[in-house]
Amino acid sequence: MYVDSHCHLSFPELRSRLDEIRADMAAAGVDRALCICTTLEEFEDVHGLAREHANFWCSVGVHPDTENLAEPTVDDLVGRARRPKVVAIGETGLDYHRLEGRTLDEMAWQRERFRVHIRAARETGLPLVIHTRSAADDTIGILREEAAHGETRGVFHCFTESMATARAALDLGFHISFSGILTFKSAEELRAVARFVPLERCLIETDSPYLAPVPFRGKVNSPAYVPWVAKQVAQLKALAVEDVAEATSRNFERLFLEGRNHSK
Ligand SMILES: [Zn+2]
Ligand SMILES: [Zn+2]
């Protein structure tokens, strides 16, 4: 049985087909999924998915790309994180890919928002779901600085960064989650990273509706396709796909579900 550790089932292209997607998941042996929140405005809907379905959980957070919507305070995040089935803070992090002419100085609001999420994670004891794009050094730098104020755990989701960043993330105690990108022809460097990351620190995800793995590349992604990511990880590590399914499911339970009373 597989777990999709990162999907956006509240996005319209998936939300409108939820029954069909749940049936596809069951048929593919994908028994659980973590529904990721990207705006405070979206939270009630994401949380509704987790409340209504025993095999869904959710996060609370505001994506670094979110602009012109509610800016979260630590209390906004902590209050929502205390609700049942909220098991993570995020997705949060830094994304300098779409600067739109702005300097890095002008992106200070993104770094401050990231720190707000890290403080909420410390306060609740929940793991962070980290999104980082074109901003690996600042992401690692802020996590290191904040680590001085108390331990945080979590995952670098949809990992596409270098080997050096993978090492730094692992050194900070974080997990690394691989998506369908791992199956793309051009992802040779990323496949080297996946060979390197110890299985006990690996998660798998779809990040659906985006980034469908080969052989579905270009189509609308869904949690039912996460076995294709597991298959690629298994191939790279010369393991049986069942072993990758079992290990990544166990890692998911340890990171998000155990030792918290939020998993009920
Ligand atoms: Zn992301
Ligand atoms: Zn995402």
Side-chain angles (χ1 to χ4, degrees):
M1 291 296 211
Y2 302 87
V3 183
D4 184 354
S5 71
H6 190 115
C7 59
H8 296 281
L9 291 179
S10 61
F11 287 14
E13 50 274 65
L14 298 179
R15 191 70 163 108
S16 60
R17 297 167 40 228
L18 193 64
D19 291 345
E20 178 196 336
I21 286 166
R22 287 183 57 79
D24 291 348
M25 287 173 67
V30 181
D31 65 341
R32 292 175 286 182
L34 179 52
C35 302
I36 300 293
C37 177
T38 62
T39 69
L40 287 184
E41 288 79 358
E42 176 195 27
F43 174 75
E44 291 302 333
D45 196 31
V46 179
H47 188 232
L49 287 164
R51 254 191 349 246
E52 284 155 30
H53 303 283
N55 60 341
F56 289 165
W57 288 264
C58 79
S59 70
V60 58
V62 178
H63 193 289
D65 282 343
T66 299
E67 294 188 57
N68 308 314
L69 289 174
E71 189 60 41
T73 64
V74 174
D75 286 348
D76 287 334
L77 297 171
V78 169
R80 287 166 178 80
R82 296 222 155 105
R83 307 213 348 221
K85 299 206 67 183
V86 182
V87 297
I89 303 291
E91 57 180 298
T92 181
L94 300 175
D95 193 327
Y96 297 159
H97 187 68
R98 265 177 289 203
L99 288 177
E100 282 157 4
R102 290 171 288 190
T103 66
L104 291 188
D105 274 354
E106 289 170 309
M107 300 305 280
W109 58 272
Q110 238 188 34
R111 295 185 286 276
E112 181 49 34
R113 182 187 290 173
F114 184 26
R115 289 183 195 273
V116 164
H117 283 78
I118 297 170
R119 283 171 207 140
R122 266 204 310 268
E123 206 163 303
T124 56
L126 292 180
L128 287 159
V129 174
I130 294 190
H131 169 109
T132 184
R133 191 170 182 202
S134 310
D137 290 349
D138 280 6
T139 304
I140 295 288
I142 286 174
L143 284 171
R144 279 195 187 128
E145 274 173 42
E146 292 284 337
H149 305 287
E151 202 198 336
T152 47
R153 313 171 292 137
V155 58
F156 278 62
H157 106 88
C158 194
F159 196 83
T160 52
E161 300 296 328
S162 66
M163 189 74 96
T165 301
R167 275 180 211 277
L170 291 171
D171 285 348
L172 282 161
F174 277 72
H175 287 65
I176 290 183
S177 179
F178 295 101
S179 68
I181 292 176
L182 199 59
T183 68
F184 294 179
K185 209 176 211 145
S186 58
E188 216 33 75
E189 270 178 60
L190 187 59
R191 282 189 281 276
V193 172
R195 279 189 206 97
F196 162 75
V197 175
L199 186 59
E200 63 270 19
R201 302 285 281 281
C202 285
L203 293 174
I204 50 173
E205 68 172 83
T206 58
D207 206 8
S208 49
Y210 314 119
L211 300 168
V214 173
F216 308 105
R217 192 170 179 183
K219 301 207 170 107
V220 176
N221 199 0
S222 122
Y225 295 159
V226 82
W228 295 86
V229 181
K231 213 167 113 179
Q232 178 67 268
V233 172
Q235 208 176 324
L236 292 169
K237 292 186 174 299
L239 295 167
V241 69
E242 293 79 14
D243 294 337
V244 172
E246 196 193 314
T248 52
S249 296
R250 206 178 331 112
N251 298 344
F252 176 84
E253 288 164 14
R254 223 176 31 237
L255 183 60
F256 292 112
L257 306 186
E258 283 172 13
R260 301 289 315 160
N261 47 17
H262 291 276
S263 58
K264 57 182 180 267

